[in-house]
């Protein structure tokens, strides 16, 4: 297939491009600068403009671009950046897809399990309603922005991603160095659920979505059994062979991270009901398996 991807230089995008090309698919990368290679197409998400000629012939579009949720404190300015990068960017892609004489068969648009808000110990699947808070509201707007593609009859899937376990990049790219130094520990009470997914499984799930005609709407990209932060901490200690006696009190996290701390201390126990029902099989369903796979992918370095 010919597949267009936004966010191709990020953690997930880089791995997806590599996986698709290894199997002979043609990948078109959307970039926010003048193209420098034959496989690049320009787009300007804040202007809501896409060079649609570059999308011609694409069977699928995977939209992953957006400012990093955990990259900075959630100031008013950065909240606007988070919203604009997702809502305006998604609207631009959806409208570009809808405008094509022959639209792609599927649009996979990034989203996040943050849409459920804090679920405590309650497990939620894709049928659960949106929760409350900034991130939940942002995710709702983010998904609604793809309306033009849905109205044009394009199968549209919202990939509601959990915490991606990878050796470098993302949340775990920050956790691994701390735990290697023996500075890792639980955060807050440690009872909050972290819905994780191994990077390999995330890429496999995206590819499964691309070719599974029955999947449309929200799909949780999380491992089958979410674990608590306390369980994550213990697993990190076992895998890395380091002590995990330290803890970061909730007030200290709130002081250091501001409103972003709600994402760290909050509990989202999301389960991938629609992936499982569609026949998807996880290679690394457990947290320890996911951690070991992440280490193996980066050469086993601890």
């Amino acid at each position: 297939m010919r597949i267009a991807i936004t966010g191709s230089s990020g953690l997930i995008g880089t791995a997806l491009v590599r996986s698709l090309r290894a199997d002979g698919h043609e990948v078109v990368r959307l970039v926010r600068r003048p193209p420098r290679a034959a496989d690049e197409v320009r787009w300007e998400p804040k202007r809501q403009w896409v060079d649609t000629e570059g999308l011609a012939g694409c069977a699928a579009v995977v939209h992953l671009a957006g400012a990093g949720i955990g990259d900075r404190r959630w100031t008013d300015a950065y909240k606007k950046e988070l919203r604009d990068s997702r809502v305006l960017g998604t609207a631009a892609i959806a409208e570009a897809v809808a405008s094509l004489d022959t639209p792609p068969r599927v649009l996979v648009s990034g989203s996040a399990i943050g849409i459920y808000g804090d679920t405590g110990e309650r497990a939620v699947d894709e049928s659960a309603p949106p929760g409350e808070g900034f991130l939940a509201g942002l995710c709702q707007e983010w998904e609604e922005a793809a309306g033009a593609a849905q109205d044009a009859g394009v199968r549209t899937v919202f990939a509601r991603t959990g915490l991606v376990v990878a050796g470098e990049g993302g949340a775990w790219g920050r956790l691994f160095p701390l735990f290697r130094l023996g500075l890792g520990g639980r955060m807050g009470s440690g009872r909050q659920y972290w819905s994780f997914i191994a990077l390999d499984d995330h890429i496999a799930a995206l590819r499964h979505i691309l070719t599974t005609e029955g999947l449309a709407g929200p799909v949780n990209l999380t491992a089958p059994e979410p674990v608590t932060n306390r369980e994550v901490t213990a697993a990190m200690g076992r895998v890395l062979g380091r002590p995990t006696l330290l803890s970061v009190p909730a007030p200290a996290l709130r002081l250091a991270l501001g409103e972003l701390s709600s994402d760290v201390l909050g509990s989202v126990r999301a389960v991938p009901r629609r992936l499982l029902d569609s026949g998807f099989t996880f290679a690394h369903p457990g947290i320890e398996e996911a951690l070991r796979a992440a280490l193996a992918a980066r050469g086993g370095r601890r």
Side-chain angles (χ1 to χ4, degrees):
M1 290 191 291
R2 177 177 165 89
I3 302 169
I5 300 177
T6 74
S8 63
S9 61
L11 170 66
I12 296 168
T14 298
L16 180 60
V17 169
R18 182 169 55 244
S19 174
L20 290 170
R21 285 180 170 166
D23 286 343
H25 298 289
E26 179 186 358
V27 176
V28 175
R29 296 179 298 122
L30 275 72
V31 297
R32 293 173 293 173
R33 52 167 172 73
R36 295 197 290 257
D39 67 340
E40 294 182 344
V41 172
R42 188 166 187 177
W43 76 309
E44 297 180 23
K46 290 185 179 179
R47 283 184 52 215
Q48 296 186 267
W49 175 84
V50 180
D51 181 358
T52 53
E53 289 185 12
L55 299 182
C58 285
V61 175
V62 182
H63 173 47
L64 302 172
I69 293 290
D71 287 359
R72 301 185 209 165
R73 286 175 68 95
W74 288 353
T75 62
D76 288 344
Y78 196 59
K79 282 183 178 180
K80 184 177 186 304
E81 175 67 19
L82 288 171
R83 182 192 177 279
D84 288 352
S85 69
R86 284 165 170 72
V87 176
L88 298 182
T90 300
I93 291 296
E95 289 165 11
V97 161
S99 73
L100 296 173
D101 291 336
T102 304
R105 295 195 297 271
V106 58
L107 167 64
V108 180
S109 188
S111 185
I113 59 170
I115 195 167
Y116 303 114
D118 190 332
T119 71
E121 296 185 355
R122 176 173 54 93
V124 293
D125 62 18
E126 294 86 352
S127 66
E132 298 181 354
F134 169 72
L135 192 55
L138 171 62
C139 290
Q140 290 179 71
E141 288 188 78
W142 191 2
E143 293 185 3
E144 290 167 359
Q150 292 176 299
D151 292 344
V154 176
R155 179 169 69 92
T156 302
V157 182
F158 303 109
R160 292 179 174 174
T161 299
L163 292 167
V164 179
V165 183
E168 296 175 343
W172 253 273
R174 300 176 187 181
L175 290 177
F176 272 124
L178 289 173
F179 277 82
R180 284 192 198 95
L181 294 172
L183 301 176
R186 65 176 172 80
M187 298 181 184
S189 70
R191 294 193 297 270
Q192 68 271 32
Y193 276 89
W194 281 17
S195 297
F196 70 93
I197 184 169
L199 178 60
D200 288 350
D201 280 333
H202 194 288
I203 300 307
L206 287 175
R207 296 192 56 171
H208 176 79
I209 288 169
L210 287 174
T211 57
T212 303
E213 293 295 331
L215 283 175
V219 177
N220 290 342
L221 270 62
T222 58
E225 294 292 337
V227 291
T228 65
N229 174 257
R230 190 185 297 273
E231 292 171 312
V232 169
T233 300
M236 289 283 280
R238 290 193 300 270
V239 169
L240 295 172
R242 298 290 189 272
T244 57
L245 302 177
L246 301 177
S247 64
V248 184
L253 280 170
R254 292 189 183 99
L255 182 63
L257 302 177
E259 192 176 351
L260 173 59
S261 65
S262 63
D263 197 37
V264 175
L265 296 169
S267 180
V268 186
R269 192 177 182 180
V271 294
R273 179 62 50 209
R274 301 198 65 207
L275 268 182
L276 294 172
D277 288 349
S278 67
F280 182 76
T281 301
F282 286 83
H284 313 293
I287 184 60
E288 200 160 317
E289 298 165 79
L291 293 172
R292 294 190 187 282
L295 287 174
R298 66 192 305 274
R301 286 178 289 155
R302 291 188 170 185

